Amino acid sequence: MNERIRAALGAPEVAALVRGATIAFELAGDSWSFRMRVEDGAMAVGGEPRFVLRAADAVWEGLLASEPVAGEQSIVHLVRTARVVLHGDQDAYIRHLHVVRAVLDAARGGRCERFAPSRPLDARGEYRRVSSALGTADVYVESAGSGPVLLALATAGSDTTQWHGVMTETDLLDRWRLVTVDLPWHGRSSPAFDVPVGGWTLTPASYTDFIVAIADALELTQPILVGASMAGAAVVHAIASHPDRFAGGVACQAGRGVRNRADPALRATDVNPSLFVPEWTYGLMNPASPAEFRKRVWWGYSSGGFGLYGADIDSYLQWDFAEVAGGLTPSSPHVAVLSGSYDTTVPPAASRELAEAIPNASFEEMRELGHFPHAENPAVFARYLEAALARVASGRPG
């Protein structure tokens, strides 16, 4: 294990990410330990550690496997569940989580393939001034392809770029028109007019009001809604609240509720959110998903506005299926629930439970994927999405 970690210190991915950091820490197992530090913008061996991460050898071996078992791939999750025990300065660990994760990723190794886009990115962008319960904002919209409309929504704190891989790495657009939209304050949309910086708030009800407003502004007739995580819950909420407005939905990474996404560091002023937020989310993906797309997810979360992700998570924590369950009947539009095995925040069992509670729904587990299925491995996700869309179109589970 020591040699694997030592070799990881010189990896280009580590060198690119540790610039500006000053920290020493230790990783320790049953029969080994390794101390490392950042010195002059590069990793070096040794140093007096500010914190120590200690676990059984079997835990480290599982984490560093080239294709880890679902649930064992994330240092964040392992620390939160105490399978890796943090000793020492917890604040230093939080501020330097990106250094720890980069070293562990490099020590994991695995596939390293050069990326070549399969298709050109041929999307049309435009702005629409939209008024909804979220206020009035100039909202950015992208569309590509032709056919029945999929109105696709991004995960908490993110934007339309999450769907670019679906546009370039699959043939979905040969059969469907994909329309994606940035919420106000997100991506290339403007802040809501007359709302102060830091004033962004969202609730499940106001999100649904926005979805209806943008569908009306774009004159979309009976689109199918598609979303993951917070947006997956929004799909269910919107169909339950407006069953006549949408043809159905594909809800990924959503459960009856979510309780484990809050963390004080999301708004802490002594933590760099452009480093912490992407690390908070990065481990929710399958490490075997293409590195190029995992990088894009990381970068997207590094690019979010002040307080945006924390506010979105506040909204997601308010999601309670019981509040809209009465609006869903056997005659409601079909909801196809999908769940990536590597998601430790909304595991497949939670998504299956949601599907079982919806009278006209289906469920499928995506064993190769995690919390960002559409963004982390678009080609694989598209296969599950096509099958889900067939169920939505037929209005039946199978």
Side-chain angles (χ1 to χ4, degrees), residues 201-204 206-207 230 310-319:
T201 58
L202 184 69
T203 67
S206 63
Y207 198 168
M230 178 182 78
D312 282 358
I313 291 300
D314 287 346
S315 169
Y316 196 20
L317 292 171
Q318 296 175 47
W319 160 245

Side-chain angles (χ1 to χ4, degrees), residues 206-257:
S206 63
Y207 198 168
T208 286
D209 191 75
F210 172 81
I211 293 170
V212 173
I214 191 65
D216 288 346
L218 296 172
E219 299 180 340
L220 302 180
T221 303
Q222 291 283 296
I224 295 174
L225 300 178
V226 185
S229 187
M230 178 182 78
V235 167
V236 178
H237 192 288
I239 290 175
S241 304
H242 299 270
D244 297 329
R245 186 66 185 83
F246 304 105
V250 180
C252 310
Q253 314 315 128
R256 294 171 65 102

Side-chain angles (χ1 to χ4, degrees), residues 53-132:
L53 295 170
R54 186 179 300 277
D57 285 354
V59 173
W60 289 119
E61 291 292 347
L63 173 63
L64 298 185
S66 59
E67 297 188 11
V69 174
E72 297 184 5
Q73 79 275 6
S74 166
I75 185 62
V76 172
H77 177 66
L78 293 174
V79 170
R80 281 174 62 89
T81 56
R83 294 182 65 191
V84 174
V85 179
L86 170 64
H87 302 275
D89 190 336
Q90 181 176 357
D91 291 339
Y93 159 74
I94 290 173
R95 288 195 295 270
H96 297 90
L97 180 57
H98 62 295
V99 179
V100 176
R101 194 274 309 160
V103 170
L104 293 172
D105 251 15
R108 176 183 291 126
R111 295 175 300 183
C112 184
E113 301 172 355
R114 290 188 62 83
F115 175 72
S118 299
R119 295 184 173 203
L121 181 59
D122 186 15
R124 177 175 179 264
E126 62 178 313
Y127 281 93
R128 293 295 180 98
R129 184 159 293 171
V130 177
S131 295
S132 71

Side-chain angles (χ1 to χ4, degrees), residues 5-184:
I5 297 172
R6 186 187 301 272
L9 301 188
E13 296 81 3
V14 175
L17 199 55
V18 302
R19 297 168 187 165
T22 302
I23 190 64
F25 62 96
E26 179 179 342
L27 305 179
D30 294 324
S31 56
W32 62 272
S33 64
F34 192 94
R35 292 184 176 185
M36 67 204 86
R37 68 187 187 279
V38 184
E39 184 177 87
D40 298 327
M43 296 297 301
V45 177
E48 187 61 31
R50 294 276 300 280
F51 60 88
V52 178
L53 295 170
R54 186 179 300 277
D57 285 354
V59 173
W60 289 119
E61 291 292 347
L63 173 63
L64 298 185
S66 59
E67 297 188 11
V69 174
E72 297 184 5
Q73 79 275 6
S74 166
I75 185 62
V76 172
H77 177 66
L78 293 174
V79 170
R80 281 174 62 89
T81 56
R83 294 182 65 191
V84 174
V85 179
L86 170 64
H87 302 275
D89 190 336
Q90 181 176 357
D91 291 339
Y93 159 74
I94 290 173
R95 288 195 295 270
H96 297 90
L97 180 57
H98 62 295
V99 179
V100 176
R101 194 274 309 160
V103 170
L104 293 172
D105 251 15
R108 176 183 291 126
R111 295 175 300 183
C112 184
E113 301 172 355
R114 290 188 62 83
F115 175 72
S118 299
R119 295 184 173 203
L121 181 59
D122 186 15
R124 177 175 179 264
E126 62 178 313
Y127 281 93
R128 293 295 180 98
R129 184 159 293 171
V130 177
S131 295
S132 71
L134 300 177
T136 299
D138 292 328
V139 172
Y140 180 74
V141 180
E142 274 188 347
S143 61
S146 60
V149 175
L150 307 178
L151 179 54
L153 310 165
T155 58
S158 193
D159 55 52
T160 60
T161 58
Q162 284 195 332
W163 291 96
H164 285 174
V166 170
M167 296 177 182
T168 64
E169 306 310 305
T170 80
D171 63 359
L172 184 79
L173 303 186
D174 294 344
R175 293 171 295 283
W176 299 87
R177 179 184 171 210
L178 182 64
V179 178
T180 64
V181 58
D182 289 343
L183 284 165

